[in-house]
Amino acid sequence: MSRRTLAVVSAGLSQPSSTRLLADQLAAATRDELVRRGESVKLRPVELREHAHDVVNHLLTGFPSAALREVLDTVTGADGLIAVTPIFNASYNGLFKSFFDLVDSAALVDRPVLIGATGGTARHSLALEHALRPMFAYLHAVVTPTAVFAAPEDWSGGVADGALRARITRAGAELADQVHRRSPSTGPADPFALTTTFEEMLGRQDS
Amino acid sequence: MQFGVFTVGDVTVDPTTGREPTEHERIKAMATIALKAEEVGLDVFATGEHHNPPFVPSSPTTMLGWIAARTERLLLSTSTTLITTNDPVKIAEDYAMLQHLADGRVDLMMGRGNTGPVYPWFGQDIRNGIPLAIENYDLLRRLWREEVVNWQGRFRTPLQSFTSTPRPLDGVPPFVWHGSIRSPEIAEQAAYYGDGFFANHIFWLKEHTQRMVGLYRQRFEHYGHGSADQAVVGLGGQVFMRKNSQDAVREFRPYFDNAPVYGHGPSLEEFTAQTPLTVGSPQQVIDRTLGFRDYVGDYQRQLFLVDHAGLPLKTVLEQLDILGEEVVPVLRKEFDSLRPAHVPEAPTHASLRAAASGDLVDAEAGR
């Protein structure tokens, strides 16, 4: 049995937030499936709202505060990532994009990711496919085939028995499967690690 | 330990008056700041190099040569010299000439430059930043150390039987620092040659600077230049002082809030907590600066940024007076008393010349 970490990022702005509610349900479904497969799971929720000022400050100054550094390390060092945003103007909200703009472009390579979104109408649902999925594809993450969108009617229709519940369970199982088949994460990349010798950088053979 | 100021050379509107200095005013102000640095007893003046507005110092050796002629003791340096987009041959020539005119009061800090569009103006590409820094600097070293250079590389036209003139003063090349905010390759480069490493320090958390300096020290020892605590480290710092710390905060806040680099971002309070920026009384600056030693070890050079973000010249000169009268004498005494005997001072022309002639004596004795 290995110990797995799931980072659960929610870009919801209101409190309580339906985006956070969806994120928590996706996290629980993934955890349950991993536990069923004999893994132990630690969930690491990240409410981007709490870091909104730090995110903007990092964009402007070029470096993260200590608190934001920890959050970025949590996200880039996890075994799996659940990323959920409200849909604004047909795409992820600005906070969600600004946060992921601060993630190094190599930090999520081959990382299993489950994407989710909430919106005021089901007509926003394809934003998952035309906005979130391409962004994570650019980052070379492995996005599960099922992405989960929750519209107001999904919540009012009785979550436990509705179609939303089925999609959450399926998506969680897909993410768990991707996490399960990989070796445990070794944590965030070390920004101070050198990958070549200085002689190689100089273009010389050992002399 | 050496203390000094480093300037970016930005032309910035004074947010309290709305007035922007002319380029001429800014250039003359930089020169005045350098002369003042010597007058108040600082050791180093370092100028940035930029080739795009709103910055004026595109021609550092012209400025440093002018300052050299009007000073006696001040060490003239750069922050930084663009090792990526300058021809290393021209750097070798310009700084050797400056070294002669300044009687050896010259060293340099190598940097890459982070403005993408500047590179193609000089026929380069920012994506080659690190390889350029490495190849160009290796050539620069050879030009200063070998009488006749035959060379071929990736970025510059080959050299056949080339002699860079003038030769370095007394055959001793200027000491070189390598400056970097975030690239471990540059700490490695500095360690490889046993050169100095200058951590910008002012645009990142102290934990980050600690890691970078730690990496440089460890690799310096690895390459056999001495123990890790003998590596040559410089740090940036940023201060604004008034007798009463509340006055300092009140006066500096509009400059901070509108500063080109971090303005409209974190609050002054957040930024002072996260970075070495210290806005307060001279005693607060003394305490904070002494604290740098706790996370980088004993170090050799402390440069302060005091003349940016539109601060008027009069204010900057007052800052230099406070540094010279109240801050640096205390720091000098405190740092010197804390530093163990085996940790060296930063190399100077005199110490490098003495070391070189010592090597020669050793070599002759061995023969």
Side-chain angles (χ1 to χ4, degrees), chain A residues 134-171:
Chain A
M135 186 188 83
F136 285 108
Y138 169 79
L139 293 169
H140 300 291
V142 176
V143 186
T144 59
T146 302
V148 180
F149 185 86
E153 56 268 34
D154 289 309
W155 302 115
S156 60
V159 176
D161 312 320
L164 176 62
R165 167 52 46 191
R167 292 203 305 278
I168 287 171
T169 306
R170 187 172 79 228

Side-chain angles (χ1 to χ4, degrees), chain A residues 57 60 63 190 192 199 204, chain B residues 138 192 203 211 264-266:
Chain A
N57 289 347
L60 297 182
F63 70 88
D190 178 2
F192 297 92
E199 295 289 346
R204 292 181 191 153
Chain B
D138 198 63
Y192 179 83
F203 294 131
R211 289 284 311 272
H264 313 288

Side-chain angles (χ1 to χ4, degrees), chain B residues 56-105:
Chain B
V56 291
S58 55
S59 180
T61 53
T62 310
M63 168 169 281
L64 295 177
W66 185 96
I67 296 165
R70 285 165 173 76
T71 50
E72 298 289 330
R73 300 180 317 280
L74 192 65
L75 192 51
L76 309 167
S77 189
T78 59
S79 57
T80 60
T81 293
L82 300 174
I83 188 63
T84 47
T85 48
N86 281 308
D87 182 357
V89 169
K90 198 71 175 87
I91 297 177
E93 294 171 342
D94 284 347
Y95 285 87
M97 176 65 90
L98 178 65
Q99 203 194 16
H100 281 274
L101 291 170
D103 297 312
R105 290 184 287 130

Side-chain angles (χ1 to χ4, degrees), chain B residues 27-45:
Chain B
I27 290 164
K28 297 299 256 187
M30 290 170 73
T32 304
I33 288 164
L35 303 189
K36 181 77 172 179
E38 170 156 300
E39 182 198 316
V40 302
L42 300 186
D43 309 303
V44 185
F45 172 83

